[in-house]
Amino acid sequence: MRDRLLSNSLLVLITTLLMAGAGAAFWVIAARLASPEEVGLAGSLVAAGDSLALFAQLGLNIAIVRTIPASSRRAADIVTAALVVVGAGAVFALGYAVLLPATSPRLADVLHSPLVIAVFCVLVAATALNVLTDSVFLAIDRVWSFLQLNGVLMGVLKCGLPFLLAGAGAFGLYGAFGLAILCCALASLAVILRHVPGSRRPSPSPQLLANRGFAAAGYVTYVLTVLPLLVFPLLVVNALGSAEAGSYFIAFQVAMLLNAVVLAVANATYAETERAEHGRHAVVRKGGLLLAGASVGGCLVMLVLAPYLLAIFGSHYVDEGTATLRVLALGAVGAAFNYWGMMRLRLAADLVAMISVQAVSTVVMLVMAVSLADRGTVWVAAAWGIGHAVGGLLGYLVTATVAGFADDAPQRDEELTPA
């Protein structure tokens, strides 16, 4: 426990497993309370809400991990970032709802009234706030609070709320999911502000302002990473129908148990590296080994247990989703490689390279998925993994050659410009 990277990674890993377990329990309950069609539509809304919340970060979740250790206005930076992502989340959710009749009429029928759309916007904004607070917990080294709120509180709410909204259809399922996140987001912000000193007036610090370029590049890469998660469910719904989308979504949610573990280790490594004044290469190497072990070990377990994990949701999901889940498990290894490459690119602070590498990865995913969606969900799953593997390979090659990063931390108050 003297090794902060390992101890924080362990706490984040436990939190992630608790969150993933609660999410899996939520969908088990949903699969028993609702039809596969309703689960498919609700799952598409959850995927859309999560993706929109990530879009709403505007790079602040990445920039704040970089700047908080040296910020002169830590509380003000957090309040400013929270207000920005909440507003952006609501605006993006409204835009998504307005465009749904043209992009996915089936989902448009779920968001059928102005009141329902307003609730959707609030829940997406809350999800955006919760994503931001996750990064803040890592930046201020309050991982134990992260575990208590995201791992325990949100899990309890996710497992209880579906019963209260049973019979409310697809949006009722999404509402139960989103309400749990809303409660956790508000509690997280309160805990963070209690432990961070300084004025809470929304006035960003010079350190945060100096990293506008980094935040912008981080945002673009984040959007490119999240875009397939938003597009893939729509592709499956439109090409194969709601029931097939339900099977794909459940398989994807199970695979995200492994992906969440991998991402948790990557995030903990990045936060620890940004706090380190010296020896960043050693931290990155150690994080890479942790990522490799977690992804490969988890993949092997999931390959064996895939039908048994899906059997929890019902026989329909075993028949339609086992092969898809196995391909997604293999894809998680590629995702681990890509997250490691992205972390190296952030440390190099080569903004053009950050954007270019992720753009190639996303284009590979989307082109493959659009071309192969009508052949079945296995091919969509393969597109996700192959795209990530391409991104990881490019990220490593670029940082090993033309965009290396120093072993010592740079000055945080200097403006970052494209290399």
Side-chain angles (χ1 to χ4, degrees):
M1 296 298 290
R2 292 179 180 177
D3 189 315
R4 191 163 59 182
L5 172 60
L6 292 176
S7 61
N8 281 351
S9 295
L10 178 60
L11 289 173
V12 173
L13 174 60
I14 293 171
T15 305
T16 303
L17 290 175
L18 289 172
M19 292 170 63
F26 174 89
W27 290 110
V28 169
I29 295 168
R32 300 298 181 181
L33 295 177
S35 67
E37 289 76 14
E38 289 176 332
V39 171
L41 292 170
S44 296
L45 281 180
V46 168
D50 288 347
S51 301
L52 292 168
L54 294 174
F55 289 156
Q57 300 305 300
L58 303 179
L60 289 170
N61 60 326
I62 299 172
I64 210 161
V65 172
R66 184 181 185 87
T67 60
I68 279 291
S71 174
S72 58
R73 302 176 189 167
R74 299 173 72 192
D77 282 351
I78 293 167
V79 171
T80 301
L83 291 174
V84 171
V85 302
V86 165
V91 171
F92 289 168
L94 179 60
Y96 176 84
V98 170
L99 293 174
L100 267 184
T103 58
S104 183
R106 291 189 179 102
L107 282 178
D109 290 338
V110 178
L111 302 182
H112 55 79
S113 72
L115 178 60
V116 172
I117 292 174
V119 173
F120 177 70
C121 292
V122 170
L123 295 180
V124 171
T127 305
L129 176 60
N130 199 57
V131 172
L132 178 71
T133 59
D134 292 350
S135 296
V136 175
F137 277 127
L138 290 175
I140 65 174
D141 202 15
R142 297 290 306 180
V143 184
W144 179 245
S145 297
F146 176 57
L147 187 153
Q148 291 174 309
L149 294 170
N150 285 266
V152 179
L153 174 63
M154 187 162 62
V156 171
L157 292 173
K158 278 185 179 180
C159 292
L161 288 174
F163 293 102
L164 298 178
L165 297 176
F171 192 76
L173 291 178
Y174 173 73
F177 196 94
L179 187 57
I181 296 175
L182 172 62
C183 295
C184 182
L186 295 176
S188 295
L189 185 60
V191 169
I192 287 169
L193 292 178
R194 193 176 68 197
H195 289 94
V196 175
S199 170
R200 298 174 184 177
R201 186 169 63 90
S203 177
S205 68
Q207 291 79 16
L208 185 58
L209 291 174
N211 279 269
R212 294 189 301 271
F214 182 81
Y219 175 63
V220 174
T221 60
Y222 224 67
V223 168
L224 291 170
T225 304
V226 172
L227 188 60
L229 303 183
L230 182 64
V231 173
F232 281 16
L234 295 178
L235 289 176
V236 175
V237 167
N238 293 335
L240 302 172
S242 299
E244 194 74 15
S247 300
Y248 169 78
F249 183 76
I250 290 298
F252 192 79
Q253 289 301 302
V254 175
M256 288 302 99
L257 298 175
L258 175 56
N259 186 72
V261 169
V262 170
L263 186 58
V265 175
N267 287 339
T269 302
Y270 176 59
E272 187 62 33
T273 307
E274 288 290 10
R275 284 195 296 267
E277 294 294 330
H278 310 286
R280 298 195 305 168
H281 285 145
V283 178
V284 170
R285 283 194 297 270
K286 186 181 295 184
L289 292 174
L290 289 172
L291 282 168
S295 61
V296 173
C299 175
L300 294 175
V301 170
M302 197 161 283
L303 288 175
V304 174
L305 297 182
Y308 305 103
L309 294 171
L310 291 175
I312 300 172
F313 299 89
S315 59
H316 168 80
Y317 300 99
V318 177
D319 297 336
E320 301 296 331
T322 298
T324 300
L325 176 55
R326 284 173 170 157
V327 174
L328 287 169
L330 291 169
V333 179
F337 191 21
N338 195 24
Y339 298 152
W340 188 61
M342 290 168 62
M343 177 178 61
R344 292 171 61 93
L345 287 166
R346 290 176 191 170
L347 294 171
D350 188 318
L351 309 188
V352 173
M354 287 171 61
I355 296 171
S356 301
V357 168
Q358 193 53 48
V360 173
S361 174
T362 300
V363 168
V364 170
M365 289 187 199
L366 293 179
V367 169
M368 289 188 64
V370 170
S371 303
L372 302 174
D374 58 350
R375 298 189 181 184
T377 56
V378 169
W379 293 95
V380 177
W384 183 74
I386 292 171
H388 271 304
V390 169
L393 179 60
L394 288 177
Y396 173 74
L397 291 176
V398 169
T399 53
T401 54
V402 298
F405 58 95
D407 203 45
D408 295 333
Q411 293 294 320
R412 303 310 171 112
D413 57 352
E414 294 178 356
E415 179 70 47
L416 289 170
T417 56

mmCIF file of all heavy atoms in Angstrom, residues 31 34-44 106-107 233-252 310 313-322 324 376-377:
data_model
loop_
_atom_site.group_PDB
_atom_site.id
_atom_site.type_symbol
_atom_site.label_atom_id
_atom_site.label_comp_id
_atom_site.label_asym_id
_atom_site.label_seq_id
_atom_site.Cartn_x
_atom_site.Cartn_y
_atom_site.Cartn_z
ATOM 1 N N ALA A 31 -34.141 -6.749 -17.465
ATOM 2 C CA ALA A 31 -34.487 -7.834 -18.382
ATOM 3 C C ALA A 31 -35.635 -8.678 -17.853
ATOM 4 O O ALA A 31 -36.374 -9.294 -18.632
ATOM 5 C CB ALA A 31 -33.262 -8.708 -18.636
ATOM 6 N N ALA A 34 -38.974 -6.038 -18.027
ATOM 7 C CA ALA A 34 -39.381 -5.456 -19.298
ATOM 8 C C ALA A 34 -39.075 -6.412 -20.449
ATOM 9 O O ALA A 34 -38.326 -7.381 -20.295
ATOM 10 C CB ALA A 34 -38.667 -4.125 -19.516
ATOM 11 N N SER A 35 -39.627 -6.111 -21.594
ATOM 12 C CA SER A 35 -39.416 -6.929 -22.790
ATOM 13 C C SER A 35 -38.056 -6.633 -23.404
ATOM 14 O O SER A 35 -37.465 -5.570 -23.137
ATOM 15 C CB SER A 35 -40.512 -6.629 -23.813
ATOM 16 O OG SER A 35 -40.371 -5.301 -24.304
ATOM 17 N N PRO A 36 -37.529 -7.546 -24.253
ATOM 18 C CA PRO A 36 -36.258 -7.259 -24.931
ATOM 19 C C PRO A 36 -36.311 -5.971 -25.752
ATOM 20 O O PRO A 36 -35.308 -5.255 -25.846
ATOM 21 C CB PRO A 36 -36.059 -8.481 -25.836
ATOM 22 C CG PRO A 36 -36.781 -9.583 -25.130
ATOM 23 C CD PRO A 36 -37.983 -8.917 -24.502
ATOM 24 N N GLU A 37 -37.475 -5.664 -26.339
ATOM 25 C CA GLU A 37 -37.600 -4.421 -27.113
ATOM 26 C C GLU A 37 -37.421 -3.195 -26.216
ATOM 27 O O GLU A 37 -36.704 -2.244 -26.568
ATOM 28 C CB GLU A 37 -38.963 -4.365 -27.814
ATOM 29 C CG GLU A 37 -39.115 -5.343 -28.971
ATOM 30 C CD GLU A 37 -39.349 -6.783 -28.503
ATOM 31 O OE1 GLU A 37 -39.650 -6.971 -27.295
ATOM 32 O OE2 GLU A 37 -39.230 -7.700 -29.331
ATOM 33 N N GLU A 38 -38.066 -3.201 -25.037
ATOM 34 C CA GLU A 38 -37.927 -2.077 -24.116
ATOM 35 C C GLU A 38 -36.511 -1.973 -23.577
ATOM 36 O O GLU A 38 -35.972 -0.873 -23.415
ATOM 37 C CB GLU A 38 -38.928 -2.220 -22.966
ATOM 38 C CG GLU A 38 -40.368 -1.991 -23.372
ATOM 39 C CD GLU A 38 -41.348 -2.236 -22.246
ATOM 40 O OE1 GLU A 38 -41.041 -3.054 -21.341
ATOM 41 O OE2 GLU A 38 -42.428 -1.613 -22.252
ATOM 42 N N VAL A 39 -35.885 -3.128 -23.307
ATOM 43 C CA VAL A 39 -34.495 -3.121 -22.845
ATOM 44 C C VAL A 39 -33.587 -2.551 -23.928
ATOM 45 O O VAL A 39 -32.669 -1.762 -23.643
ATOM 46 C CB VAL A 39 -34.053 -4.541 -22.448
ATOM 47 C CG1 VAL A 39 -32.543 -4.580 -22.188
ATOM 48 C CG2 VAL A 39 -34.797 -5.007 -21.211
ATOM 49 N N GLY A 40 -33.844 -2.923 -25.188
ATOM 50 C CA GLY A 40 -33.031 -2.408 -26.280
ATOM 51 C C GLY A 40 -33.144 -0.903 -26.427
ATOM 52 O O GLY A 40 -32.142 -0.202 -26.596
ATOM 53 N N LEU A 41 -34.375 -0.377 -26.326
ATOM 54 C CA LEU A 41 -34.574 1.065 -26.445
ATOM 55 C C LEU A 41 -33.983 1.805 -25.248
ATOM 56 O O LEU A 41 -33.327 2.847 -25.401
ATOM 57 C CB LEU A 41 -36.063 1.373 -26.581
ATOM 58 C CG LEU A 41 -36.715 0.902 -27.889
ATOM 59 C CD1 LEU A 41 -38.232 1.047 -27.814
ATOM 60 C CD2 LEU A 41 -36.161 1.676 -29.076
ATOM 61 N N ALA A 42 -34.214 1.268 -24.038
ATOM 62 C CA ALA A 42 -33.641 1.896 -22.845
ATOM 63 C C ALA A 42 -32.115 1.846 -22.889
ATOM 64 O O ALA A 42 -31.442 2.815 -22.520
ATOM 65 C CB ALA A 42 -34.157 1.203 -21.587
ATOM 66 N N GLY A 43 -31.591 0.718 -23.345
ATOM 67 C CA GLY A 43 -30.140 0.602 -23.456
ATOM 68 C C GLY A 43 -29.551 1.594 -24.440
ATOM 69 O O GLY A 43 -28.486 2.174 -24.203
ATOM 70 N N SER A 44 -30.260 1.830 -25.538
ATOM 71 C CA SER A 44 -29.795 2.817 -26.496
ATOM 72 C C SER A 44 -29.804 4.217 -25.894
ATOM 73 O O SER A 44 -28.901 5.031 -26.141
ATOM 74 C CB SER A 44 -30.674 2.785 -27.751
ATOM 75 O OG SER A 44 -30.550 1.544 -28.418
ATOM 76 N N ARG A 106 -37.654 5.071 -33.797
ATOM 77 C CA ARG A 106 -38.044 4.220 -32.666
ATOM 78 C C ARG A 106 -37.698 4.880 -31.335
ATOM 79 O O ARG A 106 -38.481 4.863 -30.384
ATOM 80 C CB ARG A 106 -37.354 2.854 -32.771
ATOM 81 C CG ARG A 106 -37.849 1.978 -33.923
ATOM 82 C CD ARG A 106 -37.266 0.579 -33.783
ATOM 83 N NE ARG A 106 -37.731 -0.306 -34.848
ATOM 84 C CZ ARG A 106 -37.003 -0.642 -35.909
ATOM 85 N NH1 ARG A 106 -35.781 -0.153 -36.049
ATOM 86 N NH2 ARG A 106 -37.480 -1.448 -36.830
ATOM 87 N N LEU A 107 -36.502 5.464 -31.251
ATOM 88 C CA LEU A 107 -36.118 6.155 -30.018
ATOM 89 C C LEU A 107 -36.888 7.458 -29.861
ATOM 90 O O LEU A 107 -37.187 7.877 -28.735
ATOM 91 C CB LEU A 107 -34.616 6.440 -30.018
ATOM 92 C CG LEU A 107 -33.695 5.260 -29.681
ATOM 93 C CD1 LEU A 107 -32.236 5.691 -29.764
ATOM 94 C CD2 LEU A 107 -33.999 4.682 -28.321
ATOM 95 N N PRO A 233 -25.131 1.719 -31.265
ATOM 96 C CA PRO A 233 -26.496 1.283 -30.959
ATOM 97 C C PRO A 233 -27.515 1.707 -32.018
ATOM 98 O O PRO A 233 -28.433 0.944 -32.340
ATOM 99 C CB PRO A 233 -26.790 1.943 -29.610
ATOM 100 C CG PRO A 233 -25.457 2.154 -28.997
ATOM 101 C CD PRO A 233 -24.558 2.490 -30.143
ATOM 102 N N LEU A 234 -27.357 2.910 -32.566
ATOM 103 C CA LEU A 234 -28.264 3.358 -33.623
ATOM 104 C C LEU A 234 -28.107 2.496 -34.870
ATOM 105 O O LEU A 234 -29.100 2.151 -35.530
ATOM 106 C CB LEU A 234 -27.992 4.823 -33.961
ATOM 107 C CG LEU A 234 -28.271 5.852 -32.865
ATOM 108 C CD1 LEU A 234 -27.906 7.252 -33.340
ATOM 109 C CD2 LEU A 234 -29.729 5.801 -32.443
ATOM 110 N N LEU A 235 -26.868 2.127 -35.203
ATOM 111 C CA LEU A 235 -26.646 1.259 -36.350
ATOM 112 C C LEU A 235 -27.339 -0.087 -36.172
ATOM 113 O O LEU A 235 -27.982 -0.598 -37.097
ATOM 114 C CB LEU A 235 -25.137 1.036 -36.555
ATOM 115 C CG LEU A 235 -24.306 2.212 -37.061
ATOM 116 C CD1 LEU A 235 -22.835 1.824 -37.104
ATOM 117 C CD2 LEU A 235 -24.776 2.636 -38.445
ATOM 118 N N VAL A 236 -27.217 -0.643 -34.975
ATOM 119 C CA VAL A 236 -27.810 -1.948 -34.718
ATOM 120 C C VAL A 236 -29.331 -1.864 -34.728
ATOM 121 O O VAL A 236 -30.015 -2.718 -35.310
ATOM 122 C CB VAL A 236 -27.298 -2.530 -33.382
ATOM 123 C CG1 VAL A 236 -28.005 -3.836 -33.060
ATOM 124 C CG2 VAL A 236 -25.791 -2.756 -33.447
ATOM 125 N N VAL A 237 -29.890 -0.825 -34.076
ATOM 126 C CA VAL A 237 -31.347 -0.661 -34.063
ATOM 127 C C VAL A 237 -31.883 -0.525 -35.474
ATOM 128 O O VAL A 237 -32.866 -1.179 -35.865
ATOM 129 C CB VAL A 237 -31.750 0.567 -33.219
ATOM 130 C CG1 VAL A 237 -33.215 0.928 -33.449
ATOM 131 C CG2 VAL A 237 -31.533 0.288 -31.743
ATOM 132 N N ASN A 238 -31.252 0.314 -36.279
ATOM 133 C CA ASN A 238 -31.752 0.578 -37.624
ATOM 134 C C ASN A 238 -31.536 -0.591 -38.573
ATOM 135 O O ASN A 238 -32.367 -0.845 -39.453
ATOM 136 C CB ASN A 238 -31.090 1.835 -38.195
ATOM 137 C CG ASN A 238 -31.505 3.090 -37.446
ATOM 138 O OD1 ASN A 238 -32.562 3.133 -36.837
ATOM 139 N ND2 ASN A 238 -30.655 4.111 -37.473
ATOM 140 N N ALA A 239 -30.417 -1.310 -38.408
ATOM 141 C CA ALA A 239 -30.096 -2.387 -39.343
ATOM 142 C C ALA A 239 -30.721 -3.726 -38.957
ATOM 143 O O ALA A 239 -31.092 -4.522 -39.830
ATOM 144 C CB ALA A 239 -28.578 -2.551 -39.456
ATOM 145 N N LEU A 240 -30.866 -3.968 -37.650
ATOM 146 C CA LEU A 240 -31.268 -5.300 -37.196
ATOM 147 C C LEU A 240 -32.522 -5.324 -36.338
ATOM 148 O O LEU A 240 -33.035 -6.402 -36.039
ATOM 149 C CB LEU A 240 -30.103 -5.952 -36.426
ATOM 150 C CG LEU A 240 -28.787 -6.097 -37.210
ATOM 151 C CD1 LEU A 240 -27.667 -6.555 -36.293
ATOM 152 C CD2 LEU A 240 -28.959 -7.073 -38.361
ATOM 153 N N GLY A 241 -33.010 -4.166 -35.872
ATOM 154 C CA GLY A 241 -34.230 -4.133 -35.073
ATOM 155 C C GLY A 241 -33.966 -3.990 -33.587
ATOM 156 O O GLY A 241 -32.839 -4.165 -33.101
ATOM 157 N N SER A 242 -35.042 -3.698 -32.831
ATOM 158 C CA SER A 242 -34.919 -3.407 -31.398
ATOM 159 C C SER A 242 -34.491 -4.625 -30.587
ATOM 160 O O SER A 242 -33.702 -4.518 -29.653
ATOM 161 C CB SER A 242 -36.256 -2.874 -30.868
ATOM 162 O OG SER A 242 -36.615 -1.677 -31.512
ATOM 163 N N ALA A 243 -35.035 -5.805 -30.918
ATOM 164 C CA ALA A 243 -34.687 -7.006 -30.153
ATOM 165 C C ALA A 243 -33.212 -7.336 -30.289
ATOM 166 O O ALA A 243 -32.534 -7.666 -29.308
ATOM 167 C CB ALA A 243 -35.546 -8.185 -30.610
ATOM 168 N N GLU A 244 -32.682 -7.231 -31.514
ATOM 169 C CA GLU A 244 -31.256 -7.481 -31.732
ATOM 170 C C GLU A 244 -30.417 -6.421 -31.026
ATOM 171 O O GLU A 244 -29.346 -6.705 -30.492
ATOM 172 C CB GLU A 244 -30.959 -7.488 -33.230
ATOM 173 C CG GLU A 244 -29.603 -8.058 -33.594
ATOM 174 C CD GLU A 244 -29.539 -9.564 -33.457
ATOM 175 O OE1 GLU A 244 -30.597 -10.193 -33.346
ATOM 176 O OE2 GLU A 244 -28.409 -10.100 -33.442
ATOM 177 N N ALA A 245 -30.934 -5.190 -31.014
ATOM 178 C CA ALA A 245 -30.232 -4.128 -30.297
ATOM 179 C C ALA A 245 -30.180 -4.418 -28.807
ATOM 180 O O ALA A 245 -29.188 -4.124 -28.130
ATOM 181 C CB ALA A 245 -30.925 -2.785 -30.543
ATOM 182 N N GLY A 246 -31.256 -5.003 -28.266
ATOM 183 C CA GLY A 246 -31.252 -5.377 -26.859
ATOM 184 C C GLY A 246 -30.191 -6.417 -26.554
ATOM 185 O O GLY A 246 -29.469 -6.320 -25.555
ATOM 186 N N SER A 247 -30.053 -7.406 -27.423
ATOM 187 C CA SER A 247 -29.028 -8.441 -27.231
ATOM 188 C C SER A 247 -27.633 -7.848 -27.320
ATOM 189 O O SER A 247 -26.746 -8.158 -26.514
ATOM 190 C CB SER A 247 -29.191 -9.539 -28.288
ATOM 191 O OG SER A 247 -30.455 -10.143 -28.184
ATOM 192 N N TYR A 248 -27.437 -6.955 -28.313
ATOM 193 C CA TYR A 248 -26.132 -6.312 -28.457
ATOM 194 C C TYR A 248 -25.816 -5.468 -27.226
ATOM 195 O O TYR A 248 -24.700 -5.503 -26.703
ATOM 196 C CB TYR A 248 -26.112 -5.434 -29.707
ATOM 197 C CG TYR A 248 -24.898 -4.539 -29.785
ATOM 198 C CD1 TYR A 248 -23.668 -5.041 -30.187
ATOM 199 C CD2 TYR A 248 -24.975 -3.188 -29.434
ATOM 200 C CE1 TYR A 248 -22.546 -4.231 -30.237
ATOM 201 C CE2 TYR A 248 -23.858 -2.363 -29.487
ATOM 202 C CZ TYR A 248 -22.650 -2.891 -29.888
ATOM 203 O OH TYR A 248 -21.538 -2.091 -29.930
ATOM 204 N N PHE A 249 -26.819 -4.719 -26.754
ATOM 205 C CA PHE A 249 -26.568 -3.820 -25.630
ATOM 206 C C PHE A 249 -26.228 -4.603 -24.368
ATOM 207 O O PHE A 249 -25.318 -4.227 -23.627
ATOM 208 C CB PHE A 249 -27.775 -2.922 -25.381
ATOM 209 C CG PHE A 249 -27.546 -1.932 -24.275
ATOM 210 C CD1 PHE A 249 -26.773 -0.810 -24.487
ATOM 211 C CD2 PHE A 249 -28.060 -2.151 -23.010
ATOM 212 C CE1 PHE A 249 -26.525 0.097 -23.467
ATOM 213 C CE2 PHE A 249 -27.828 -1.248 -21.986
ATOM 214 C CZ PHE A 249 -27.058 -0.124 -22.220
ATOM 215 N N ILE A 250 -26.946 -5.682 -24.106
ATOM 216 C CA ILE A 250 -26.646 -6.487 -22.916
ATOM 217 C C ILE A 250 -25.245 -7.071 -23.020
ATOM 218 O O ILE A 250 -24.463 -7.047 -22.049
ATOM 219 C CB ILE A 250 -27.698 -7.590 -22.734
ATOM 220 C CG1 ILE A 250 -29.048 -6.984 -22.333
ATOM 221 C CG2 ILE A 250 -27.244 -8.597 -21.695
ATOM 222 C CD1 ILE A 250 -29.041 -6.246 -21.011
ATOM 223 N N ALA A 251 -24.882 -7.611 -24.195
ATOM 224 C CA ALA A 251 -23.530 -8.148 -24.377
ATOM 225 C C ALA A 251 -22.491 -7.051 -24.175
ATOM 226 O O ALA A 251 -21.444 -7.266 -23.543
ATOM 227 C CB ALA A 251 -23.395 -8.766 -25.767
ATOM 228 N N PHE A 252 -22.781 -5.869 -24.689
ATOM 229 C CA PHE A 252 -21.845 -4.762 -24.556
ATOM 230 C C PHE A 252 -21.707 -4.342 -23.095
ATOM 231 O O PHE A 252 -20.602 -4.028 -22.627
ATOM 232 C CB PHE A 252 -22.305 -3.580 -25.409
ATOM 233 C CG PHE A 252 -21.265 -2.512 -25.567
ATOM 234 C CD1 PHE A 252 -20.225 -2.665 -26.476
ATOM 235 C CD2 PHE A 252 -21.309 -1.349 -24.809
ATOM 236 C CE1 PHE A 252 -19.260 -1.681 -26.619
ATOM 237 C CE2 PHE A 252 -20.352 -0.369 -24.951
ATOM 238 C CZ PHE A 252 -19.325 -0.527 -25.856
ATOM 239 N N LEU A 310 -24.380 -14.298 -19.614
ATOM 240 C CA LEU A 310 -25.585 -13.868 -20.326
ATOM 241 C C LEU A 310 -26.818 -14.640 -19.874
ATOM 242 O O LEU A 310 -27.940 -14.133 -19.998
ATOM 243 C CB LEU A 310 -25.388 -14.031 -21.835
ATOM 244 C CG LEU A 310 -24.369 -13.077 -22.472
ATOM 245 C CD1 LEU A 310 -24.171 -13.415 -23.943
ATOM 246 C CD2 LEU A 310 -24.807 -11.620 -22.323
ATOM 247 N N PHE A 313 -29.382 -12.976 -17.702
ATOM 248 C CA PHE A 313 -30.368 -12.073 -18.289
ATOM 249 C C PHE A 313 -31.509 -12.821 -18.978
ATOM 250 O O PHE A 313 -32.567 -12.241 -19.217
ATOM 251 C CB PHE A 313 -29.687 -11.153 -19.309
ATOM 252 C CG PHE A 313 -28.617 -10.293 -18.718
ATOM 253 C CD1 PHE A 313 -27.301 -10.735 -18.634
ATOM 254 C CD2 PHE A 313 -28.906 -9.030 -18.232
ATOM 255 C CE1 PHE A 313 -26.308 -9.947 -18.088
ATOM 256 C CE2 PHE A 313 -27.916 -8.232 -17.675
ATOM 257 C CZ PHE A 313 -26.620 -8.687 -17.602
ATOM 258 N N GLY A 314 -31.294 -14.089 -19.333
ATOM 259 C CA GLY A 314 -32.332 -14.859 -19.993
ATOM 260 C C GLY A 314 -31.781 -15.618 -21.197
ATOM 261 O O GLY A 314 -30.731 -15.258 -21.743
ATOM 262 N N SER A 315 -32.487 -16.643 -21.612
ATOM 263 C CA SER A 315 -32.014 -17.502 -22.698
ATOM 264 C C SER A 315 -31.897 -16.750 -24.022
ATOM 265 O O SER A 315 -31.035 -17.072 -24.853
ATOM 266 C CB SER A 315 -32.949 -18.699 -22.864
ATOM 267 O OG SER A 315 -34.270 -18.270 -23.151
ATOM 268 N N HIS A 316 -32.760 -15.780 -24.245
ATOM 269 C CA HIS A 316 -32.691 -14.997 -25.485
ATOM 270 C C HIS A 316 -31.317 -14.357 -25.648
ATOM 271 O O HIS A 316 -30.755 -14.351 -26.758
ATOM 272 C CB HIS A 316 -33.780 -13.914 -25.472
ATOM 273 C CG HIS A 316 -33.617 -12.879 -26.546
ATOM 274 N ND1 HIS A 316 -34.017 -13.100 -27.852
ATOM 275 C CD2 HIS A 316 -33.091 -11.613 -26.521
ATOM 276 C CE1 HIS A 316 -33.754 -12.018 -28.575
ATOM 277 N NE2 HIS A 316 -33.202 -11.106 -27.792
ATOM 278 N N TYR A 317 -30.759 -13.837 -24.562
ATOM 279 C CA TYR A 317 -29.479 -13.144 -24.632
ATOM 280 C C TYR A 317 -28.316 -14.118 -24.793
ATOM 281 O O TYR A 317 -27.292 -13.765 -25.386
ATOM 282 C CB TYR A 317 -29.300 -12.278 -23.386
ATOM 283 C CG TYR A 317 -30.391 -11.243 -23.250
ATOM 284 C CD1 TYR A 317 -31.478 -11.452 -22.407
ATOM 285 C CD2 TYR A 317 -30.367 -10.076 -23.999
ATOM 286 C CE1 TYR A 317 -32.496 -10.515 -22.297
ATOM 287 C CE2 TYR A 317 -31.376 -9.136 -23.902
ATOM 288 C CZ TYR A 317 -32.441 -9.356 -23.051
ATOM 289 O OH TYR A 317 -33.459 -8.440 -22.965
ATOM 290 N N VAL A 318 -28.467 -15.340 -24.287
ATOM 291 C CA VAL A 318 -27.438 -16.364 -24.500
ATOM 292 C C VAL A 318 -27.376 -16.742 -25.970
ATOM 293 O O VAL A 318 -26.296 -16.807 -26.581
ATOM 294 C CB VAL A 318 -27.726 -17.616 -23.648
ATOM 295 C CG1 VAL A 318 -26.687 -18.701 -23.932
ATOM 296 C CG2 VAL A 318 -27.730 -17.270 -22.172
ATOM 297 N N ASP A 319 -28.529 -16.987 -26.573
ATOM 298 C CA ASP A 319 -28.580 -17.419 -27.966
ATOM 299 C C ASP A 319 -28.065 -16.345 -28.918
ATOM 300 O O ASP A 319 -27.363 -16.640 -29.894
ATOM 301 C CB ASP A 319 -30.014 -17.794 -28.352
ATOM 302 C CG ASP A 319 -30.546 -18.971 -27.543
ATOM 303 O OD1 ASP A 319 -29.712 -19.754 -27.046
ATOM 304 O OD2 ASP A 319 -31.779 -19.090 -27.409
ATOM 305 N N GLU A 320 -28.411 -15.099 -28.656
ATOM 306 C CA GLU A 320 -28.110 -14.025 -29.598
ATOM 307 C C GLU A 320 -26.816 -13.266 -29.293
ATOM 308 O O GLU A 320 -26.273 -12.603 -30.181
ATOM 309 C CB GLU A 320 -29.275 -13.016 -29.618
ATOM 310 C CG GLU A 320 -30.611 -13.606 -30.014
ATOM 311 C CD GLU A 320 -30.617 -14.118 -31.441
ATOM 312 O OE1 GLU A 320 -29.867 -13.558 -32.272
ATOM 313 O OE2 GLU A 320 -31.346 -15.087 -31.721
ATOM 314 N N GLY A 321 -26.320 -13.378 -28.035
ATOM 315 C CA GLY A 321 -25.231 -12.492 -27.653
ATOM 316 C C GLY A 321 -23.915 -13.128 -27.269
ATOM 317 O O GLY A 321 -22.936 -12.407 -27.047
ATOM 318 N N THR A 322 -23.830 -14.467 -27.190
ATOM 319 C CA THR A 322 -22.601 -15.095 -26.694
ATOM 320 C C THR A 322 -21.403 -14.803 -27.591
ATOM 321 O O THR A 322 -20.333 -14.392 -27.120
ATOM 322 C CB THR A 322 -22.790 -16.608 -26.550
ATOM 323 O OG1 THR A 322 -23.813 -16.870 -25.591
ATOM 324 C CG2 THR A 322 -21.494 -17.264 -26.089
ATOM 325 N N THR A 324 -21.035 -12.402 -29.722
ATOM 326 C CA THR A 324 -20.754 -10.970 -29.675
ATOM 327 C C THR A 324 -19.966 -10.604 -28.423
ATOM 328 O O THR A 324 -19.005 -9.837 -28.474
ATOM 329 C CB THR A 324 -22.067 -10.176 -29.717
ATOM 330 O OG1 THR A 324 -22.766 -10.486 -30.918
ATOM 331 C CG2 THR A 324 -21.803 -8.679 -29.654
ATOM 332 N N GLY A 376 -24.618 -8.600 -38.748
ATOM 333 C CA GLY A 376 -24.806 -9.069 -37.391
ATOM 334 C C GLY A 376 -23.967 -8.310 -36.375
ATOM 335 O O GLY A 376 -23.020 -7.593 -36.724
ATOM 336 N N THR A 377 -24.316 -8.475 -35.111
ATOM 337 C CA THR A 377 -23.657 -7.706 -34.051
ATOM 338 C C THR A 377 -22.212 -8.140 -33.807
ATOM 339 O O THR A 377 -21.417 -7.375 -33.267
ATOM 340 C CB THR A 377 -24.447 -7.835 -32.738
ATOM 341 O OG1 THR A 377 -24.576 -9.230 -32.398
ATOM 342 C CG2 THR A 377 -25.832 -7.235 -32.887
#
